[in-house]
């Protein structure tokens, strides 16, 4: 399929280019001492991702350890409550550790093992990436340092406990707003010190090249499975595909299965409390081009051009930018990016729980809320939503803040 002069039949061969660019977005804006480390990772990945040993080991792990393929569920009662549109969810909440993130963590940790590294380093927001990476590190016998904002440590106590039980070292980050953005900075600094023995496992399709590409490739299993399963279930493609976008990894994984199809694709960003800067984290909707955390993308900036403070009820979505490939697909118009606020999110959280017996992560609830809105607009057809994770981690926080609805 050709869209806006881009041939999507050959899209994955051409994007990113050899320097990690998706159009003008992406690249690797890093200190000189890390250039070599990134090149080493890039070369290792290029060799390994083609080796049948690596591919078959990853396949075996996905099946025997992660429990893949995860199913697609038809949401009969929720669909019925909205009219004539059929809603479906891809159940990444049933992936081991309860979210999509283990898909790229097992890939990154397997790469670390092939490269002879002893340690994995990462930041985490909701704690999901930390848990997923701690799980992968335990599986492969690697050391694991997880940087986490003090605010998120409080908000996500069960995930902190999980990481510690899995043997990871949780490093508390207290400066600034003490959330995901500061944790990213701290983890990056640690990597600069330790890159000879360690590998930095980025938690989304962000950071310097080759991470946005590697994480997309590891997550593409979601879209590939979903397309096949949906065709088998219904005999056709969905009319629309929806996923929430923080950094953008679950969305990129899902979207990559459908970019070359006549399917409308929607990325959902968190509008939080409203449109004022600082009240949301809708970077693609309200941001401008800029460089942060080693890559060029669309980002939310403060008056000094630095990454702006952001907010979302979902700690996994409160990041002031999104992956470069999303910025590219945004400008191209191939994916439409829209927003959902906290209230709509909480409403969807309870609707999916009550009507379907699935408690979604607050992050994923943004996608569910958008799917529900879209269903009313479309009037007929089908929508496939990526349910990126389960909501057990969010239950205490939601009951405390919103009560039972
Ligand atoms: C981390 C997380 C997200 C956001 O990350 P992306 O890279 O945008 O996918 C979404 N959902 C869940 C459940 C998460 O844990």
């Amino acid at each position: 399929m050709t869209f806006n002069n881009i041939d999507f039949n050959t899209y994955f061969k051409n994007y990113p280019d050899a320097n990690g660019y998706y159009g003008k977005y992406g690249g690797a804006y890093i200190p000189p001492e890390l250039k070599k480390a990134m090149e080493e990772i890039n070369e290792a990945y290029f060799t390994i991702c083609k080796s049948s040993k690596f591919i078959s080991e990853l396949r075996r792990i996905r099946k025997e350890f992660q429990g893949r393929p995860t199913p697609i569920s038809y949401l009969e009662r929720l669909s019925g409550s909205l009219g004539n549109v059929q809603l479906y969810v891809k159940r990444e909440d049933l992936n081991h550790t309860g979210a999509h993130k283990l898909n790229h963590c097992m890939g990154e940790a397997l790469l670390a093992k092939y490269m002879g590294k002893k340690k994995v380093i990462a930041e985490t927001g909701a704690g999901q990436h930390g848990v997923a990476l701690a799980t992968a590190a335990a599986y492969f016998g690697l050391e694991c340092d997880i940087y986490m904002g003090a605010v998120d440590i409080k908000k996500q106590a069960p995930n902190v406990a999980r990481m510690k039980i899995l043997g990871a070292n949780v490093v508390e980050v207290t400066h600034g707003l003490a959330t995901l953005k500061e944790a990213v900075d701290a983890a990056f600094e640690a990597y600069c010190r330790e890159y000879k023995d360690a590998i930095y496992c980025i938690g989304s399709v962000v950071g310097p090249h080759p991470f946005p590409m590697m994480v997309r490739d590891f997550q593409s299993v979601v879209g590939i499975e979903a397309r096949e399963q949906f065709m088998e279930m219904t005999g056709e493609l969905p009319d629309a595909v929806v996923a929430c976008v923080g950094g953008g990894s679950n969305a990129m994984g899902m979207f990559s299965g459908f970019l070359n199809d006549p399917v409308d694709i929607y990325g959902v960003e968190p509008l939080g409390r409203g449109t004022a800067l600082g009240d949301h984290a809708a970077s693609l909707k309200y941001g401008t081009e800029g460089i942060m955390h080693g890559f060029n993308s669309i980002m939310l900036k403060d008056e000094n051009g630095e990454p702006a403070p952001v907010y979302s009820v979902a700690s996994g979505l409160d990041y002031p930018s999104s992956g470069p490939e999303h910025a590219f697909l945004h400008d191209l118009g191939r994916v439409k990016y829209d927003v959902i606020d906290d209230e709509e999110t909480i409403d969807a959280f309870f609707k999916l729980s009550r009507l379907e017996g699935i408690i979604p992560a607050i992050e994923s609830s943004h996608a569910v809320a958008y799917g529900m809105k879209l269903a009313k607009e479309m009037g007929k057809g089908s929508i496939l939503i990526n349910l990126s994770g389960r909501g057990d981690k969010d239950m205490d926080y939601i009951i405390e803040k919103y009560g039972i609805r």
Side-chain angles (χ1 to χ4, degrees), residues 99-101 128 203-204 244-251 316-317 361 363-364 388-389:
H100 69 287
K101 287 196 178 76
Q128 292 296 97
S204 188
C244 66
V245 179
S249 66
N250 87 86
L317 300 182
E363 290 81 6
S364 324
S388 52

Side-chain angles (χ1 to χ4, degrees), residues 93-127:
D93 60 316
L94 297 178
N95 198 31
H96 180 43
T97 73
H100 69 287
K101 287 196 178 76
L102 193 65
N103 299 331
H104 61 249
C105 287
M106 293 308 285
E108 287 173 323
L110 184 59
L111 180 67
K113 192 186 105 176
Y114 272 65
M115 289 174 75
K117 303 287 185 189
K118 293 185 189 63
K119 186 194 263 191
V120 287
I121 297 175
E123 77 290 334
T124 193

Side-chain angles (χ1 to χ4, degrees), residues 174-186:
T174 52
H175 70 272
L177 290 178
T179 58
L180 181 62
K181 188 178 78 69
E182 290 79 16
V184 173
D185 292 337

Side-chain angles (χ1 to χ4, degrees), residues 183-317:
V184 173
D185 292 337
F188 205 65
E189 277 162 30
Y191 181 53
C192 285
R193 292 191 301 269
E194 301 184 57
Y195 68 86
K196 286 207 177 70
D197 292 324
I199 183 168
Y200 184 22
C201 294
I202 293 181
S204 188
V205 286
V206 298
H209 178 66
F211 281 97
M213 172 187 70
M214 288 197 320
V215 172
R216 172 194 75 188
D217 292 354
F218 290 139
Q219 285 296 345
S220 66
V221 66
V222 175
I224 291 166
E225 282 177 10
R227 190 180 187 282
E228 210 176 285
Q229 291 167 320
F230 197 92
M231 293 289 288
E232 199 180 293
M233 276 172 93
T234 70
E236 49 195 41
L237 288 165
D239 294 296
V241 165
V242 178
C244 66
V245 179
S249 66
N250 87 86
M252 237 15 268
M254 182 57 122
F255 297 171
S256 59
F258 297 93
L259 284 173
N260 193 31
D261 291 316
V263 170
D264 293 330
I265 305 180
Y266 298 90
V268 185
E269 297 191 294
L271 186 60
R273 297 182 286 245
T275 54
L277 191 65
D279 281 348
H280 63 83
S283 48
L284 294 162
K285 180 100 174 176
Y286 298 110
T288 49
E289 187 179 348
I291 295 169
M292 62 175 270
H293 297 149
F295 65 107
N296 186 41
S297 186
I298 299 176
M299 61 186 263
L300 293 165
K301 297 173 196 163
D302 64 14
E303 61 278 11
N304 303 317
E306 294 297 310
V310 288
Y311 162 82
S312 164
V313 67
S315 10
L317 300 182

Side-chain angles (χ1 to χ4, degrees), residues 106-181:
M106 293 308 285
E108 287 173 323
L110 184 59
L111 180 67
K113 192 186 105 176
Y114 272 65
M115 289 174 75
K117 303 287 185 189
K118 293 185 189 63
K119 186 194 263 191
V120 287
I121 297 175
E123 77 290 334
T124 193
Q128 292 296 97
H129 178 53
V131 169
L133 192 61
T135 303
Y139 182 92
F140 290 111
L142 298 162
E143 287 171 53
C144 180
D145 286 354
I146 302 293
Y147 292 78
M148 191 166 185
V151 170
D152 289 333
I153 286 182
K154 276 218 188 73
K155 218 164 134 185
Q156 309 288 353
N159 273 346
V160 175
R162 273 184 202 110
M163 284 184 267
K164 289 182 176 165
I165 288 168
L166 289 160
N169 175 29
V170 180
V171 186
E172 184 170 2
V173 180
T174 52
H175 70 272
L177 290 178
T179 58
L180 181 62
K181 188 178 78 69

